[in-house]
Amino acid sequence: MRTHTKKTAFDYIIIVILLAVCFACIYPMWYIGVNSFAAPEVANRGASAWWPSALSLDAYKVVFENEYILSGFKITILRTVVATITHVLFTSMVAYAMSRPGLIGKKVYMKIAMITMFFNGGLIPNFILMIKLGLYDSFWVYILPGMFTFYNMVIFMSFFRTIPESLIESARLDGASEFRIYWSIVLPNSRPVIATIGLFTAVYHWNDYYQGIVYVRDKALEPLQTILYKLLAETSMTSAQQQAMLALGGETTSATVKFAAMVVGSLPIICLYPFIQKHLVKGVMLGAIKG
Amino acid sequence: MKRYLAILLVLCSLLSLAACGTEPAVTSDAPEATDAAVTDSGLDPNTPAWTTDTSAIELEWFVGASWYPYTWGDSLSTQNITEKTGVDIEIITPTGDVSEELNLMMISGTLPDLITLGSWENCFSTLYEQGYTWALNELADQYDPYFYNVVDSSVVAWHTKSDGNLYCVPNDAYGAEQMAETGMTAAVQTFLVRKDLYEDMGSPDMSTPEGFLEALRLLKSDFSTYKGETITPFYAQGGSGYGLTDYLQNFLAVPYEDEDGNIYDRVTDPDYIEWLKVLRQAYEEGLIGIDYLVDSDDQVTEKSNNGRYFCMLREWSGMQEANGILANSENPDSYYIAIDGPANSDGDAPLIFPGSLDGWMCTFISKDCENPERAIAFLTYMLSEEGQMDMFLGVEGETYEVVDGVPQLTDEMIDLMNNDAETFATQYGLVDTYWMLRNSVIVDQWRPESPYYITEMSDWADENAYVDGGIYNNLEPTGDSDAAVAATRIDQRWQEVVPELITAESEEEFDSILEAFLADRDSYGYDLVVEYEQELLDARKALFD
Amino acid sequence: MRTQEARIKPRLSERLSRTGKEFWKQRQLQAMVWPGIIWMAVFSYIPLVFLYIAFTDYRISVPLFENDFVGLKHFIAFLTDDRFWRAVYNTLGLSLLRITIGFCIPIILALLLNELRCERFKKIVQTVSYLPHFISWAIFGGILLSWMSESGIFNQLAISLGLQDKAILYNGDPDNFWMIAFLSDTLKEMGWNAIIYLAAITSIDPELYEAAELDGAGRFQRMWHITIQCIRPTIALLFILAVSGCLSSNFDQVFFLSNSANMSRSETLDLYIYNMGIVSGRFSFSTAVLFFRSIISYALLRLCNFTSVKLTGESII
């Protein structure tokens, strides 16, 4: 097998390139990570390239002193889990039906769906809609509007096309309903794409702060990222506001706190990836087909 | 069938959506139960309404500053105020964009009771023009005539809109007379240099083009690194949109109007153009860079905190933190001091911009407020001397005491304020913690003295303030009118042109870039802007004649 | 097909009833599509009514259809604005880099990862390369700006390597902006964008590689003829979606990296809408520009798909 062959020059070139990529990607994380621990008197003078000369946990204290941070974590986790599951199931179900040959109205449906990717009415009508639907200031505002996207639907469709037609046909001959086929043939054979879309969706929901700003007024419903965003509010401040704040003698949030907030906000979701990776390995699907 | 159902569903929703713009009372009629008799008989104009009704009530107060960190009810001052007036406050701050969030609240009819907002926000005028807030004079007439005793008549005149109504009250409003009287001007524009470096260079005069360039040449040749820091020669706050425009023009004493009272075109002023050319010259010789146009705020803070700038056109208020750090560092003389900056060819004194009657932020009472009578009474209380005292000084005997008839904070309080500002603000909530209705004219007499490294900057600004200049504040049109759109385009274009001017390779190139800009400016509708500003200025002058 | 149909020309009612029967036959499938259609009707189509404000002078206190109708006023306003066309130019320039070189990099990364034989190393590289995706632009932009400053690490590095003799303010020169935006975006997103290709690669039958190896195909040949060929549909799909998005840019990125000195190359369409519309609360104007962009983007998608049908006979979307 291939694993027996000796390493060639080509292998070494690949390794060198990938090591360079690794360094370029990890250095910003390192920079953020170590500087989030910098002591205030060091951080005042600027960030350190490799290692701050004095360390402290002050920045993390600022982040964790926020009284809503725990409820924020809960909401974010709950939201990410529920939204990812509903999105993947709902979008893949529509995608499966849309990918079947001979579906009446397919072209029209496709156009209807395509338009949703390019056109949107903007913030104000969406806001009014959420109020009318009773979703304003409700947990479900995180879930329902995000249940479907055209983009993910076509990605599902393109993967579903690679499932051998024979598998589906044989199930149909056994008298399985379409939903049954989708549920017990198509889904189990699509682990890589489910893992991928699931990851994309989970990361989106984990990182989204905007819905928490616009559609939620109850602080107990705010997700983590909204709370962290508030903590760092002046990054989005206009210069007029900033001048006003400085005129007051207010202190701008130091870079250290920004970095600490980022670490707190993204460490959990970063840890998700190794688990997802399990499903991105070769032969998963093939095994299922053969089995 | 399903298809029809779906279409039906869509149609229904469309209709409901179309019908549901909100329906605020666009006419600013007086509150319900308008009853002239009540005003005439029931209310004594010499008794503030907050003393007659102190039942418990909660009001929501929107503070239009996403960075505002404090809440109501945990600190001594707010507990005291709530106890006195019965009014408990829930402070709401925006998370993202202030205007965006207020727009949504207007649409959904969920505006908080009190709204404090900067006039630069684009929804500011929407609040009163489209009928979302009460006219305070109507509320005062009906519920609390004592209101007129606590607001300055010049402030009322300044903020009364063309329909004759007063919709909001400002904080930090300064009238020219008050400034002349007290010597406190709220002026912040200064020309700062690093003290030890400037003195080692022999304290050169930098007010003339030659002096300015010579100083920078000397800096480049002998002091490009100083006490271990690489020195950045020059900084202008707000880059091309502010530091090198209005700010520099003020130093050059460029007037706002000509002798006949016409709006003066400050951009084409010969002295101003000469100084831009000086900066171009300095850039060509490598004496300054354009880093101040490019650096992020974090980098500017980093450079300031390390004393890396030599000279700066910068508001002293933004340097308080840095100067504190520098004055307490191993080079205690490395902090920044204000000196005479660029001046025009006649050597006129600069026209440093002072505080004005505009104030900083303004407070409204919204029509979604269910108890406008309590809201106006609360406003009256906060604006009164008693309210200001409760807010700024706290409780007598506890946080302040009266010495020789002058109330002043106790030493422990001053100590805490200087050393642990966070605890001071959250536990006691005094001085500037709740600034939303602060009247600087009143509170400045109680303000503890600043340290030397602050006063060495602020004294210069106070001395050079152009106390009559408040009338020229915020002349630019705002909102989405044609004049405002033109002004925005011109302004944004100018911000791009300034870097081009400074990096131009020759004076000829400079001239042609400037000429092209002036042509662009006309095509964007400069005449509309001038017309608007002229009208506004004339109206303001009429107000004070 | 078409001519035959025309010749037969069944009566309308007949055709309808036939379609009806077919429809009933696949009612299970239709029942799976329709929840999606209803979802779109509610969450996507209802808000679209609001695009009407692009043709009015909208005021938020006035109900939608009672605003003054102004026709194409706002469209004319931006179509006659030089700065709008400059923004289009900048957006297209950035997009061109993104959908050519930028588009290939994640594919190459996925291919290289696929060639790695050490599973553990592969997993590490994969995880590490996806990390920068989680840094928000507010933070990443700030870090980059300090690295690009005159005393930043890029200048130190370039000077010590002898590439330049004095410090350069990289971000102050408009001509550098596209490159800065492109490189930083690539660094931040390449690992993330490679994931989808890695997922596609997993569905390739390993027997194909074994067969090719027996036929004496080299590694490059296997990469080209098997891996790339097998993930071609995914590549084509993502390419089309990328092309249709070529009038969009990453707002956060340009917002945090732009400044008054590089504005002539950094103001993209998104930033233009922000500067000219949103900052001054011009709802109608912003909506008009967005509406215009949506139409062009949609047309581009249809055009790409049409081209694909003409060239390869298959519709990608």
Side-chain angles (χ1 to χ4, degrees):
Chain A
M1 288 282 293
R2 296 208 295 160
T3 40
H4 298 160
T5 43
K6 261 175 70 180
K7 280 204 170 103
T8 59
F10 184 63
D11 286 299
Y12 288 108
I13 293 171
I14 292 179
I15 289 172
V16 168
I17 293 175
L18 290 180
L19 280 175
V21 167
C22 276
F23 176 78
C25 289
I26 214 161
Y27 182 65
M29 301 302 285
W30 171 265
Y31 185 88
I32 290 167
V34 295
N35 280 302
S36 70
F37 290 102
E41 65 271 19
V42 178
N44 269 338
R45 299 277 174 128
S48 324
W50 295 109
W51 191 254
S53 54
L55 301 178
S56 89
L57 288 172
D58 285 18
Y60 288 90
K61 270 188 212 139
V62 173
V63 173
F64 282 107
E65 258 169 18
N66 190 306
E67 54 184 316
Y68 294 102
I69 202 107
L70 271 186
S71 78
F73 257 115
K74 260 186 240 153
I75 291 287
T76 294
I77 292 171
L78 195 63
R79 161 192 182 173
T80 305
V81 171
V82 177
T84 307
I85 293 173
T86 51
H87 177 89
V88 166
L89 291 181
F90 189 74
T91 306
S92 65
M93 178 185 82
V94 178
Y96 166 69
M98 291 284 282
S99 69
R100 300 306 302 150
L103 180 79
I104 293 172
K106 183 178 168 181
K107 275 192 174 165
V108 180
Y109 298 157
M110 207 62 194
K111 271 174 203 146
I112 290 177
M114 220 186 279
I115 284 176
T116 66
M117 182 165 130
F118 293 103
F119 293 86
N120 75 71
L123 179 63
I124 293 176
N126 280 311
F127 183 78
I128 298 173
L129 183 68
M130 293 310 151
I131 289 183
K132 296 268 156 182
L133 293 175
L135 292 177
Y136 179 74
D137 220 5
S138 137
F139 177 74
W140 295 100
V141 80
Y142 299 129
I143 311 297
L144 293 176
M147 268 180 33
F148 178 87
T149 61
F150 172 73
Y151 193 95
N152 287 347
M153 183 186 84
V154 291
I155 289 179
F156 268 123
M157 285 171 67
S158 81
F159 275 79
F160 289 162
R161 287 198 200 104
T162 63
I163 295 176
E165 192 60 31
S166 55
L167 264 180
I168 293 169
E169 267 316 307
S170 64
R172 186 169 291 139
L173 290 177
D174 290 345
S177 71
E178 288 291 348
F179 190 78
R180 179 103 219 140
I181 295 173
Y182 155 74
W183 187 255
S184 46
I185 306 287
V186 175
L187 282 190
N189 280 309
S190 308
R191 275 166 64 189
V193 67
I194 289 174
T196 309
I197 303 281
L199 177 72
F200 287 0
T201 315
V203 167
Y204 166 78
H205 280 282
W206 186 278
N207 284 341
D208 174 65
Y209 59 86
Y210 193 68
Q211 309 217 346
I213 291 176
V214 176
Y215 299 122
V216 167
R217 199 146 164 184
D218 182 358
K219 284 198 162 67
L221 275 178
E222 281 179 354
L224 181 66
Q225 299 290 354
T226 305
I227 293 164
L228 294 178
Y229 182 90
K230 279 189 175 173
L231 199 69
L232 312 178
E234 83 269 20
T235 52
S236 61
M237 224 186 282
T238 62
S239 57
Q241 286 170 298
Q242 211 147 20
Q243 276 164 26
M245 188 194 65
L246 289 170
L248 200 78
E251 283 181 47
T252 46
T253 314
S254 66
T256 344
V257 176
K258 286 183 208 169
F259 293 161
M262 203 216 93
V263 172
V264 171
S266 48
L267 205 58
I269 191 78
I270 285 174
C271 296
L272 179 72
Y273 193 45
F275 297 100
I276 298 286
Q277 271 180 343
K278 267 202 315 228
H279 302 282
L280 290 178
V281 290
K282 248 179 223 165
V284 172
M285 196 164 112
L286 200 79
I289 295 169
K290 280 181 176 165
Chain B
M1 195 55 205
K2 266 179 192 153
R3 200 187 290 227
Y4 288 119
L5 269 177
I7 292 170
L8 212 67
L9 189 90
V10 173
L11 279 177
C12 290
S13 326
L14 291 190
L15 287 174
S16 67
L17 184 79
C20 85
T22 47
E23 45 287 333
V26 176
T27 49
S28 60
D29 49 355
E32 288 166 43
T34 305
D35 194 344
V38 178
T39 322
D40 292 341
S41 59
L43 293 172
D44 171 12
N46 294 318
T47 315
W50 67 268
T51 54
T52 54
D53 184 359
T54 55
S55 55
I57 188 175
E58 193 181 296
L59 297 177
E60 282 185 321
W61 192 345
F62 179 89
V63 180
S66 55
W67 43 269
Y68 187 73
Y70 305 116
T71 53
W72 190 280
D74 296 329
S75 53
L76 181 94
S77 68
T78 53
Q79 283 165 356
N80 180 36
I81 291 171
T82 299
E83 204 174 300
K84 255 186 170 174
T85 61
V87 178
D88 192 13
I89 296 285
E90 192 196 342
I91 289 180
I92 304 173
T93 52
T95 309
D97 184 63
V98 179
S99 280
E100 183 180 287
E101 283 179 43
L102 272 180
N103 281 330
L104 295 179
M105 287 178 183
M106 288 185 228
I107 286 166
S108 59
T110 55
L111 279 176
D113 304 305
L114 299 168
I115 300 162
T116 298
L117 195 65
S119 57
W120 58 87
E121 305 290 353
N122 66 50
C123 67
F124 186 83
S125 53
T126 317
L127 275 177
Y128 58 87
E129 278 172 5
Q130 301 191 29
Y132 289 99
T133 54
W134 289 114
L136 298 182
N137 48 310
E138 287 172 2
L139 288 179
D141 289 342
Q142 198 179 348
Y143 301 117
D144 193 6
Y146 193 76
F147 177 76
Y148 297 110
N149 298 349
V150 299
V151 284
D152 192 89
S153 57
S154 60
V155 171
V156 173
W158 188 258
H159 285 268
T160 296
K161 301 299 168 195
S162 51
D163 62 1
N165 284 325
L166 175 76
Y167 291 97
C168 59
V169 281
N171 61 357
D172 291 357
Y174 287 82
E177 287 158 27
Q178 291 152 349
M179 287 190 275
E181 236 169 70
T182 61
M184 299 196 198
T185 62
V188 288
Q189 294 172 334
T190 45
F191 181 69
L192 304 173
V193 289
R194 178 171 158 165
K195 187 167 182 271
D196 52 356
L197 174 56
Y198 180 70
E199 284 168 359
D200 279 357
M201 285 169 67
S203 305
D205 173 26
M206 294 179 74
S207 64
T208 61
E210 302 76 37
F212 186 80
L213 286 172
E214 269 318 307
L216 289 177
R217 285 185 193 122
L218 178 65
L219 181 80
K220 192 187 180 191
S221 58
D222 295 1
F223 297 94
S224 60
T225 55
Y226 183 72
K227 296 190 180 170
E229 297 287 354
T230 309
I231 298 297
T232 304
F234 178 69
Y235 172 78
Q237 180 172 340
S240 51
Y242 175 58
L244 293 184
T245 309
D246 299 329
Y247 203 134
L248 182 57
Q249 287 161 356
N250 290 351
F251 268 87
L252 303 177
V254 178
Y256 292 85
E257 54 180 327
D258 61 19
E259 297 85 14
D260 307 327
N262 297 317
I263 290 283
Y264 181 72
D265 183 6
R266 300 186 91 202
V267 168
T268 53
D269 180 82
D271 280 309
Y272 177 55
I273 291 178
E274 193 196 338
W275 270 92
L276 285 182
K277 285 184 174 167
V278 167
L279 292 172
R280 191 208 68 79
Q281 176 76 23
Y283 180 81
E284 193 183 342
E285 290 182 37
L287 304 176
I288 61 170
I290 52 164
D291 50 291
Y292 51 92
L293 300 176
V294 174
D295 282 350
S296 68
D297 298 335
D298 283 346
Q299 284 167 275
V300 173
T301 310
E302 186 183 325
K303 285 182 183 170
S304 317
N305 290 354
N306 286 294
R308 284 196 201 127
Y309 288 116
F310 166 55
C311 67
M312 306 194 269
L313 279 169
R314 185 164 182 185
E315 296 179 349
W316 65 263
S317 49
M319 283 298 290
Q320 299 179 80
E321 198 186 348
N323 259 9
I325 293 172
L326 291 169
N328 292 309
S329 69
E330 61 270 31
N331 294 320
D333 274 345
S334 60
Y335 66 92
Y336 288 83
I337 52 169
I339 60 165
D340 290 337
N344 65 17
S345 45
D346 300 334
D348 290 334
L351 303 176
I352 297 306
F353 210 87
S356 79
L357 286 171
D358 268 348
W360 173 25
M361 287 199 189
C362 292
T363 301
F364 296 86
I365 297 176
S366 85
K367 285 204 178 150
D368 294 335
C369 175
E370 283 170 14
N371 301 85
E373 75 285 357
R374 294 300 296 276
I376 186 78
F378 182 69
L379 223 54
T380 306
Y381 160 75
M382 288 297 280
L383 292 167
S384 69
E385 183 148 348
E386 183 173 355
Q388 294 288 316
M389 210 160 188
D390 293 345
M391 176 201 82
F392 196 86
L393 293 171
V395 182
E396 183 170 0
E398 223 173 308
T399 55
Y400 77 95
E401 49 214 18
V402 183
V403 181
D404 303 332
V406 182
Q408 47 189 240
L409 286 172
T410 61
D411 292 342
E412 300 92 76
M413 280 299 119
I414 293 176
D415 214 40
L416 188 64
M417 181 175 83
N418 289 333
N419 296 318
D420 191 353
E422 187 63 30
T423 311
F424 179 75
T426 50
Q427 275 191 15
Y428 296 94
L430 302 175
V431 187
D432 294 322
T433 312
Y434 300 96
W435 43 258
M436 289 81 83
L437 288 167
R438 176 179 57 197
N439 184 340
S440 297
V441 179
I442 297 179
V443 301
D444 278 350
Q445 52 179 327
W446 304 320
R447 194 175 282 283
E449 196 151 325
S450 303
Y452 67 96
Y453 52 83
I454 306 285
T455 51
E456 280 178 43
M457 299 188 292
S458 61
D459 286 351
W460 188 93
D462 279 336
E463 275 162 32
N464 290 282
Y466 175 39
V467 290
D468 295 321
I471 196 169
Y472 304 112
N473 194 18
N474 292 338
L475 277 180
E476 280 223 327
T478 54
D480 59 356
S481 66
D482 288 344
V485 171
T488 309
R489 284 181 79 183
I490 292 168
D491 201 45
Q492 292 181 356
R493 180 75 197 127
W494 178 244
Q495 288 188 35
E496 284 180 37
V497 168
V498 171
E500 289 173 26
L501 291 173
I502 290 175
T503 57
E505 275 161 22
S506 61
E507 298 228 340
E508 291 76 50
E509 197 186 325
F510 180 102
D511 290 335
S512 67
I513 294 171
L514 185 64
E515 216 165 285
F517 165 75
L518 293 176
D520 282 346
R521 188 175 74 164
D522 288 338
S523 74
Y524 294 159
Y526 181 58
D527 48 338
L528 289 176
V529 181
V530 173
E531 195 183 316
Y532 175 94
E533 291 180 350
Q534 189 72 55
E535 235 167 72
L536 188 59
L537 183 61
D538 293 345
R540 285 182 180 178
K541 280 190 198 153
L543 201 64
F544 285 92
D545 278 346
Chain C
M1 268 303 277
R2 218 170 255 172
T3 46
Q4 255 182 2
E5 241 175 311
R7 227 179 294 142
I8 298 168
K9 247 191 195 170
R11 275 180 300 146
L12 188 68
S13 59
E14 228 172 89
R15 251 170 54 195
L16 270 182
S17 79
R18 199 187 310 149
T19 316
K21 264 183 215 152
E22 285 283 314
F23 193 87
W24 181 245
K25 240 195 232 164
Q26 47 174 247
R27 62 189 180 279
Q28 291 176 345
L29 274 184
Q30 294 286 349
M32 290 165 85
V33 175
W34 272 91
I37 304 287
I38 291 169
W39 183 95
M40 286 182 250
V42 173
F43 287 101
S44 295
Y45 278 84
I46 291 176
L48 286 191
V49 183
F50 208 71
L51 289 175
Y52 175 70
I53 72 163
F55 306 95
T56 65
D57 274 338
Y58 178 66
R59 288 159 63 90
I60 58 171
S61 61
V62 180
L64 182 56
F65 289 111
E66 288 169 31
N67 283 285
D68 296 336
F69 184 80
V70 296
L72 295 176
K73 174 180 145 186
H74 299 294
F75 291 86
I76 291 166
F78 69 77
L79 288 172
T80 53
D81 183 3
D82 291 345
R83 212 168 122 197
F84 170 78
W85 293 107
R86 187 183 77 180
V88 169
Y89 175 75
N90 288 335
T91 314
L92 288 177
L94 272 171
S95 294
L96 196 68
L97 283 171
R98 197 181 60 215
I99 58 186
T100 52
I101 312 170
F103 187 79
C104 296
I105 288 174
I107 301 176
I108 294 170
L109 181 64
L111 290 177
L112 292 185
L113 281 169
N114 189 45
E115 290 299 316
L116 276 186
R117 286 156 197 198
C118 171
E119 274 300 320
R120 176 172 282 177
F121 183 53
K122 179 178 163 180
K123 276 196 174 154
I124 291 173
V125 178
Q126 232 172 299
T127 309
V128 164
S129 66
Y130 118 128
L131 290 179
H133 175 77
F134 291 91
I135 312 175
S136 70
W137 269 108
I139 289 177
F140 196 57
I143 297 177
L144 275 179
L145 290 178
S146 73
W147 288 352
M148 287 190 296
S149 71
E150 280 161 310
S151 55
I153 53 167
F154 291 146
N155 266 311
Q156 287 172 13
L157 200 69
I159 291 172
S160 64
L161 290 176
L163 296 174
Q164 55 193 54
D165 52 358
K166 67 180 177 81
I168 297 174
L169 199 60
Y170 296 112
N171 204 32
D173 186 347
D175 295 334
N176 289 341
F177 185 80
W178 289 2
M179 229 359 137
I180 291 169
F182 167 67
L183 289 177
S184 57
D185 184 61
T186 302
L187 173 69
K188 198 164 160 328
E189 305 298 336
M190 66 179 162
W192 178 254
N193 292 334
I195 293 176
I196 187 120
Y197 298 110
L198 287 168
I201 288 173
T202 60
S203 60
I204 300 172
D205 188 346
E207 282 171 11
L208 285 176
Y209 289 105
E210 284 160 25
E213 205 170 1
L214 288 178
D215 289 345
R219 285 179 71 177
F220 274 112
Q221 283 169 311
R222 269 179 278 149
M223 226 193 243
W224 180 256
H225 290 291
I226 299 175
T227 319
I228 298 223
Q229 291 307 313
C230 288
I231 63 171
R232 212 189 54 193
T234 308
I235 296 176
L237 176 68
L238 292 182
F239 184 73
I240 284 197
L241 292 172
V243 169
S244 69
C246 72
L247 277 177
S248 304
S249 59
N250 184 336
F251 175 79
D252 282 348
Q253 183 193 27
V254 288
F255 182 78
F256 285 108
L257 292 182
S258 66
N259 56 55
S260 60
N262 67 18
M263 200 54 105
S264 60
R265 281 290 159 270
S266 62
E267 189 174 67
T268 62
L269 212 44
D270 295 273
L271 202 53
Y272 173 80
I273 293 168
Y274 178 81
N275 284 337
M276 289 297 296
I278 294 169
V279 169
S280 4
R282 295 163 75 198
F283 295 109
S284 295
F285 179 85
S286 320
T287 308
V289 185
L290 283 169
F291 192 24
F292 179 79
R293 179 168 79 180
S294 299
I295 292 170
I296 304 285
S297 303
Y298 181 68
L300 271 172
L301 183 76
R302 299 298 301 276
L303 184 73
C304 286
N305 202 37
F306 177 77
T307 318
S308 154
V309 171
K310 282 279 163 212
L311 290 179
T312 65
E314 58 184 304
S315 165
I316 287 167
I317 295 216

